[in-house]
Amino acid sequence: MKRLLANINIKVDDKIYLKDPETSEIGRNIIKNGILLIDELGLESFTFRKLAERIGSTEATIYRYFESKHKLLIYLISWYWSWQEYRLMFAISNIESAETRLKIAIRILSGEINQDMDFAHIDEETLQRIVVAESAKAYLTKGVDIDNKEGFFLSYKRFCRRIADLIREFNPDYPYPASLVSTLAESAHYQKFFARHLPSLTNIKENSEKHLEDFLLDLTFKTISR
Amino acid sequence: MKRLLANINIKVDDKIYLKDPETSEIGRNIIKNGILLIDELGLESFTFRKLAERIGSTEATIYRYFESKHKLLIYLISWYWSWQEYRLMFAISNIESAETRLKIAIRILSGEINQDMDFAHIDEETLQRIVVAESAKAYLTKGVDIDNKEGFFLSYKRFCRRIADLIREFNPDYPYPASLVSTLAESAHYQKFFARHLPSLTNIKENSEKHLEDFLLDLTFKTISR
DNA sequence: GCATTGTGATAGTAATACTATCTTTGCACT
DNA sequence: AGTGCAAAGATAGTATTACTATCACAATGC
């Protein structure tokens, strides 16, 4: 599968960057080390200056790829959801049963990562930690409406719509498919975060993904079954 | 009821502030206008300098009450959840049926605010908007563990535990009460935010709280009923 | 061989998140 | 009425941030 993916790369909307980081060594380095450094420092303490230092380049160069650190974050999240959508479509192709397809979707959504689908310069596991801890900051801003109009959240919306479609397929009468999906997606993040940092808010134990998946499966199927 | 509350005030843990803002006119002014200004500008653009200007005081004075804007945010969120807990305890007192009590809890959790329980200098509706839009930023930081150890999130945890208790009462066999509650609480915020800014991610329509409540009620009772 | 493009180096700016210090004001107690 | 003390005001200063601007250099493509 790695071989198959060698010819594929995730396309991110070109409004998000000034210069496509996939097209140069230094661009890929920005992405790769950007992920690692945001994970290490947290978004607040992360700066382009520090990143430049780390990759042996300069602030100015990074600004030629991304207008701001907000845009870099948008890029990473966008990449993540496009990747998740790709994994989803792959995993459910040729599966007949609507129930099975939905179950697979929930497994992906609950954060299971297998190594088969990785891309050279991106550490998907670290990226997922960033999405869990930082993605709320990408949309909980005064600029949401502008960013949304620019299409910055399309990949997340597309991923959610795909799963909402699976729910509708399973039970066309359930009245809240979109709300249920966004609840599942956000909950998956929060439960992971809580398990690690505020354990009294969850029953999920860290490093046992099975529990999170069970919780979400139980919630979903009890809610949508007829 | 207003009369009753005239003698009550919400106590916030004194580790959160340097000087209790409830004890002075200027302190209450910091809280009142802090809420309004954060709502107007968003946390990112909000500064103590701007707040000082607005209340006709100085930065230095505000720093004598709160160590940082992070702490002010923690204070506001903490106040909010203590207030919600108070409302909850009030609303379910003397109600026999576990089901009814849980239903009331979900109404409160879904964000319904009635005017009877307001406090002089705090605009609860605006505060709720802040909690919806900014509270994730209070814990999605590299400092969570320290803040948690200091007890900054106790009021949120206490509120969640109360509702988890109601769930356990209704169905002692449901294995994920804490996770369900935090999912409900976070979902209530996100669904509200999405309804306003990213409507394709939800089926809830803005300004119709009934829908959000229905969604959460449906989710909860289908999930926990035996 | 020349233009273009990408990158590096360096400097500068307004604003932020504080910290420090010194002065003034108001009230409480004698 | 005078003194003491705490709260608040006024002002200044610092390191850092999130950029923007400019100029020079080196590789590449035609």
Side-chain angles (χ1 to χ4, degrees):
Chain A
M1 201 174 280
K2 205 158 193 170
R3 214 159 279 294
L4 186 140
L5 287 167
N7 307 315
I8 300 279
N9 76 334
I10 303 290
K11 211 180 130 47
V12 172
D13 191 310
D14 58 17
K15 270 188 200 149
I16 295 173
Y17 48 75
L18 296 170
K19 179 170 150 53
D20 187 353
E22 290 293 335
T23 61
S24 74
E25 193 57 38
I26 202 163
R28 286 184 294 269
N29 232 275
I30 288 169
I31 300 307
K32 179 181 174 175
N33 287 284
I35 291 169
L36 299 175
L37 200 56
I38 291 173
D39 183 49
E40 276 171 38
L41 303 178
L43 191 67
E44 285 71 31
S45 304
F46 168 86
T47 68
F48 278 2
R49 186 172 302 239
K50 290 171 189 166
L51 177 56
E53 217 162 285
R54 183 175 176 131
I55 63 175
S57 177
T58 61
E59 246 184 311
T61 299
I62 298 173
Y63 274 106
R64 281 172 193 126
Y65 287 84
F66 294 101
E67 214 175 295
S68 63
K69 84 172 175 184
H70 180 239
K71 286 280 183 76
L72 172 58
L73 179 64
I74 298 274
Y75 179 93
L76 296 177
I77 293 169
S78 207
W79 193 97
Y80 177 81
W81 290 114
S82 291
W83 174 67
Q84 285 284 64
E85 187 196 4
Y86 184 71
R87 289 181 67 207
L88 174 67
M89 298 320 282
F90 219 91
I92 64 174
S93 75
N94 300 317
I95 305 252
E96 296 271 304
S97 148
E99 189 182 333
T100 308
R101 307 211 286 170
L102 193 47
K103 278 180 180 163
I104 291 169
I106 288 168
R107 173 153 65 250
I108 285 175
L109 196 146
S110 75
E112 166 262 25
I113 291 180
N114 49 16
Q115 248 67 20
D116 352 351
M117 285 235 175
D118 64 349
F119 288 77
H121 61 294
I122 296 193
D123 177 342
E124 287 84 4
E125 216 178 309
T126 308
L127 179 55
Q128 187 177 80
R129 268 205 306 278
I130 291 176
V131 172
V132 167
E134 317 290 359
S135 68
K137 299 167 194 167
Y139 43 97
L140 295 176
T141 69
K142 284 286 167 187
V144 220
D145 297 326
I146 296 162
D147 287 0
N148 185 34
K149 209 173 269 175
E150 296 272 328
F152 294 170
F153 308 120
L154 280 172
S155 64
Y156 182 46
K157 291 186 195 168
R158 215 160 41 219
F159 178 80
C160 286
R161 199 178 55 230
R162 296 257 191 224
I163 300 184
D165 287 343
L166 297 180
I167 290 173
R168 269 185 286 267
E169 208 182 318
F170 184 86
N171 178 359
D173 297 326
Y174 178 66
Y176 305 108
S179 287
L180 181 57
V181 175
S182 53
T183 296
L184 293 172
E186 298 297 334
S187 180
H189 294 166
Y190 277 99
Q191 297 303 312
K192 249 173 214 270
F193 188 86
F194 290 158
R196 173 161 263 240
H197 299 289
L198 300 162
S200 71
L201 293 173
T202 185
N203 304 100
I204 277 87
K205 302 278 167 278
E206 228 196 318
N207 302 324
S208 97
E209 264 153 28
K210 207 81 201 88
H211 277 157
L212 176 57
E213 197 185 324
D214 287 348
F215 167 63
L216 297 177
L217 278 171
D218 177 71
L219 190 71
T220 306
F221 283 99
K222 277 187 186 154
T223 300
I224 66 174
S225 67
R226 291 176 273 202
Chain B
M1 201 172 284
K2 205 159 194 168
R3 213 160 279 293
L4 186 139
L5 288 168
N7 306 318
I8 301 278
N9 75 337
I10 302 289
K11 212 179 127 47
V12 172
D13 191 310
D14 58 16
K15 270 190 202 146
I16 296 175
Y17 48 75
L18 295 172
K19 180 171 151 53
D20 187 352
E22 289 294 333
T23 61
S24 75
E25 192 59 37
I26 203 163
R28 287 183 293 269
N29 232 273
I30 288 168
I31 300 306
K32 179 182 174 174
N33 287 284
I35 290 169
L36 299 175
L37 199 56
I38 291 173
D39 182 50
E40 277 172 37
L41 304 177
L43 191 67
E44 284 73 31
S45 304
F46 168 87
T47 68
F48 278 2
R49 186 173 301 243
K50 289 172 189 165
L51 177 56
E53 218 163 286
R54 182 174 176 132
I55 63 175
S57 179
T58 60
E59 245 184 309
T61 299
I62 298 174
Y63 274 105
R64 280 174 192 124
Y65 287 84
F66 295 100
E67 213 175 294
S68 63
K69 83 172 175 183
H70 181 238
K71 285 280 183 74
L72 173 58
L73 178 65
I74 298 274
Y75 180 93
L76 296 177
I77 292 168
S78 208
W79 193 97
Y80 177 82
W81 289 114
S82 293
W83 174 67
Q84 286 283 65
E85 187 195 4
Y86 184 71
R87 290 182 65 207
L88 174 68
M89 298 321 283
F90 217 92
I92 63 174
S93 76
N94 300 315
I95 305 255
E96 297 270 305
S97 147
E99 187 182 333
T100 308
R101 307 212 285 168
L102 194 46
K103 278 181 181 165
I104 290 168
I106 287 168
R107 174 152 64 249
I108 286 175
L109 197 146
S110 75
E112 166 262 25
I113 291 180
N114 49 13
Q115 249 67 21
D116 352 349
M117 284 236 176
D118 63 348
F119 288 77
H121 60 291
I122 296 193
D123 178 343
E124 287 84 2
E125 214 178 311
T126 308
L127 180 54
Q128 187 176 79
R129 266 204 307 279
I130 290 175
V131 172
V132 166
E134 317 291 0
S135 69
K137 298 167 195 167
Y139 43 96
L140 294 176
T141 68
K142 283 286 165 186
V144 222
D145 297 326
I146 296 162
D147 287 0
N148 185 36
K149 209 173 271 174
E150 297 271 325
F152 294 170
F153 308 120
L154 279 172
S155 64
Y156 182 45
K157 290 186 196 168
R158 216 160 41 221
F159 178 79
C160 286
R161 199 178 55 231
R162 296 257 192 224
I163 300 184
D165 287 343
L166 297 180
I167 290 173
R168 269 186 286 265
E169 209 181 317
F170 184 85
N171 178 0
D173 298 327
Y174 178 65
Y176 304 108
S179 287
L180 181 57
V181 175
S182 54
T183 296
L184 292 173
E186 299 297 334
S187 180
H189 293 165
Y190 276 99
Q191 296 303 312
K192 251 174 213 270
F193 188 87
F194 289 159
R196 174 162 262 240
H197 299 289
L198 300 162
S200 72
L201 292 174
T202 184
N203 305 101
I204 277 86
K205 300 279 167 276
E206 229 195 317
N207 303 323
S208 97
E209 265 153 28
K210 208 83 199 88
H211 276 158
L212 176 56
E213 198 185 326
D214 288 348
F215 166 63
L216 298 176
L217 279 170
D218 177 71
L219 190 71
T220 306
F221 284 98
K222 277 187 186 154
T223 300
I224 66 174
S225 66
R226 293 175 272 201

